[in-house]
Amino acid sequence: METKEDILILAIESSCDETAASVVKNGRGVLSNIISSQIELHTLYGGVVPEIASRKHIEKINQVIEEALVGAGVTLEDITAIAVTYGPGLVGALLVGVSAAKAISFAAQKPLVGVHHIEGHISANYIENQELEPPFVCLVVSGGHTHLVVVKDYGEYDIVGCTRDDAAGEAFDKVARTLGLGYPGGPKIDSLSREGDPDAIKFPRAKVVGSDYDFSFSGLKSAVLNYLNSCEMKGIEVNEADVAASFQKAVIDVLVRHSLNAVGEYGFNKFAIAGGVASNSSLRAAFETECGKRNIKFYHPSPIYCTDNAAMIGVAGYYEYIRGTRSGYDLNAIPNLRLGER
Ligand code: KG4
Ligand code: ZN
C-alpha cells in the first residue's frame, strides 16, 4: 500500500525500438514494467528503421503509460514526478517519449525529470540488489554503447573507457547478420554458441594504443567476415556454431580483461554489468568466475532489466529527483547526449 510519503516515479522510455513505461516506488520498488517491443517489425528489415520506430512509438505510447499506471494500481494523482529518457538514442523515437512526458507533467502539474539512457541501464542494477550502493565500476554494453564507467555516487559518473568504433551489441548484430541469423543478433549468437567450440578459431583481441580501457570491435567483425570469405573461396564448409562461439569468446575476453583491470585500479571490489549484451549467458558466467577468483562482488540485472525498459529509467529518475534535478518544458531530445552532461 502506498502512503503520502512514498515517492512514485512514472517513467517513460522510447529511445530505440521499445515503447516502455513503469511506476517505481522509492527508487527500488518496481510496481509495473510495461514493454511494447517492435523487434518483430524491425526484423523484417534486418535492423531498426528509425522512421518506423517513431511511428510505432506514437501508436503505442498512451496505451503503455495507461497500462503502467493501472498495473501499479495508482492514478496520475498519486505520482510524484515524471521521468523520461531524453538521450542518447534515435531523435524521432526519443521525441515521442519526451513529448508525452512533458504533456503529462504539464496537465497533471507534476515535476519533470530528464534521464540519461545509460544512467538508466546502470541503475537497473539497484532493482534486484537492494544492498548495492555507489561507488562501483560498471560495464555498460548495449547495441549503441560500450562504456566502462566509475559510478562515484548517484548521478555522478566518470567514463574511463569506451569503444573507438562499434559497440559490443552492434558487433553481435553485424556478425549475426553475416551468418544469416537475423536481428537482433545477440540472443541468436548467445544460443548458437552453446553448440560451438569457443577455441576453434583464433579471432583477434584488439588493443587500443594509448588506452588500457578503450575498446575496438570493428577489426574483429572484419576478421569474422574474412574468415567466412576465405572458407567460401577454399570451398571449406563453415561450422557456424564454432564461428559464433569463437567470436563471442573474443568479445568477452576483452570486456572481462578491461573491466577487471578497472576494478583493480579503482579498488571498490564491486562490479556491475548493464545493457542488452549484459544478458549474454557466457559473459555473465565469465564475470562470475573471474570476479569470484578475485573476491570482487559481481552484480547484474535479470535479462528483462538488461535490455531497454522504463523501470531502469524510473530508478535513475528517482535518484535524480531526490538530488533536485528538474527539467523544464523546453526539455528536448538529445541524440548524442553524453553521460554526466545536462
Ligand atoms: O540495451 P539494449 O536493449 O538497447 C540499446 O540501448 O542499445 O541492447 C540491445 C543490444 C542488441 O545489440 C542485442 O543484440 C544485444 O543487446 N543483446 C545481446 C543479448 N541480448 C541482447 N547480446 C549478446 N547476448 C545476448 N544474450
Ligand atoms: Zn539501451
Side-chain angles (χ1 to χ4, degrees):
M1 191 62 209
E2 278 68 63
T3 66
K4 281 246 169 306
E5 291 74 48
D6 286 329
I7 295 179
L8 293 185
I9 305 287
L10 170 64
I12 300 170
E13 155 66 42
S14 70
S15 65
C16 190
D17 58 353
E18 259 94 32
T19 321
S22 166
V23 177
V24 173
K25 179 172 156 179
N26 299 329
R28 300 196 182 207
V30 178
L31 301 188
S32 63
N33 184 31
I34 310 297
I35 305 169
S36 169
S37 175
Q38 308 174 0
I39 282 184
E40 273 178 34
L41 191 64
H42 297 288
T43 300
L44 296 172
Y45 306 94
V48 178
V49 183
E51 182 61 25
I52 294 177
S54 321
R55 283 165 191 251
K56 268 284 159 210
H57 284 311
I58 292 173
E59 280 173 29
K60 292 281 179 190
I61 192 106
N62 287 340
Q63 185 192 330
V64 165
I65 293 170
E66 185 65 38
E67 276 181 50
L69 290 169
V70 172
V74 300
T75 65
L76 256 187
E77 291 275 283
D78 306 316
I79 296 294
T80 316
I82 320 292
V84 64
T85 307
Y86 72 111
L90 302 168
V91 68
L94 286 165
L95 269 174
V96 178
V98 168
S99 308
K102 285 201 277 193
I104 295 169
S105 152
F106 182 71
Q109 286 299 297
K110 305 284 181 182
L112 179 67
V113 181
V115 172
H116 192 288
H117 184 74
I118 299 298
E119 179 169 17
H121 273 303
I122 295 169
S123 305
N125 278 288
Y126 299 133
I127 300 172
E128 297 154 299
N129 300 300
Q130 300 282 325
E131 78 285 9
L132 176 63
E133 305 255 6
F136 58 93
V137 173
C138 185
L139 172 72
V140 185
V141 269
S142 73
H145 310 275
T146 307
H147 285 5
L148 246 178
V149 181
V150 175
V151 183
K152 294 186 290 186
D153 202 343
Y154 294 109
E156 283 185 35
Y157 308 95
D158 273 343
I159 300 173
V160 295
C162 61
T163 181
R164 296 286 178 101
D165 39 58
D166 292 348
E170 204 177 345
F172 270 93
D173 292 337
K174 287 178 177 169
V175 167
R177 191 183 311 172
T178 312
L179 289 171
L181 300 176
Y183 172 85
K188 306 243 163 76
I189 294 206
D190 193 350
S191 52
L192 183 60
S193 293
R194 288 187 203 125
E195 294 152 36
D197 173 6
D199 299 312
I201 309 149
K202 192 83 192 126
F203 288 130
R205 274 79 169 147
K207 280 209 180 72
V208 174
V209 181
S211 167
D212 286 343
Y213 301 130
D214 282 353
F215 305 94
S216 166
F217 294 111
S218 72
L220 171 60
K221 179 190 66 192
S222 306
V224 175
L225 205 69
N226 291 342
Y227 174 82
L228 294 173
N229 286 341
S230 83
C231 286
E232 194 183 338
M233 273 172 9
K234 292 178 198 152
I236 301 170
E237 200 185 324
V238 173
N239 181 328
E240 291 186 350
D242 282 352
V243 176
S246 302
F247 156 77
Q248 183 172 276
K249 185 162 186 220
V251 175
I252 292 173
D253 276 358
V254 176
L255 293 176
V256 170
R257 178 156 35 87
H258 290 200
S259 300
L260 294 182
N261 285 345
V263 181
E265 178 171 337
Y266 293 93
F268 307 126
N269 269 355
K270 271 187 280 181
F271 172 69
I273 54 173
V277 182
S279 55
N280 184 278
S281 53
S282 302
L283 179 72
R284 291 158 93 101
F287 274 124
E288 204 80 67
T289 308
E290 296 304 319
C291 287
K293 279 186 203 160
R294 294 167 177 78
N295 241 346
I296 297 166
K297 186 98 179 69
F298 171 51
Y299 297 90
H300 56 80
S302 291
I304 190 68
Y305 296 126
C306 285
T307 44
D308 288 349
N309 66 87
M312 67 184 198
I313 303 303
V315 178
Y318 167 84
Y319 285 107
E320 287 295 345
Y321 175 79
I322 58 171
R323 291 170 86 221
T325 303
R326 300 290 182 274
S327 305
Y329 294 132
D330 58 349
L331 181 70
N332 205 353
I334 306 182
N336 54 0
L337 184 66
R338 284 174 58 86
L339 190 61
E341 234 174 47
R342 286 242 144 229

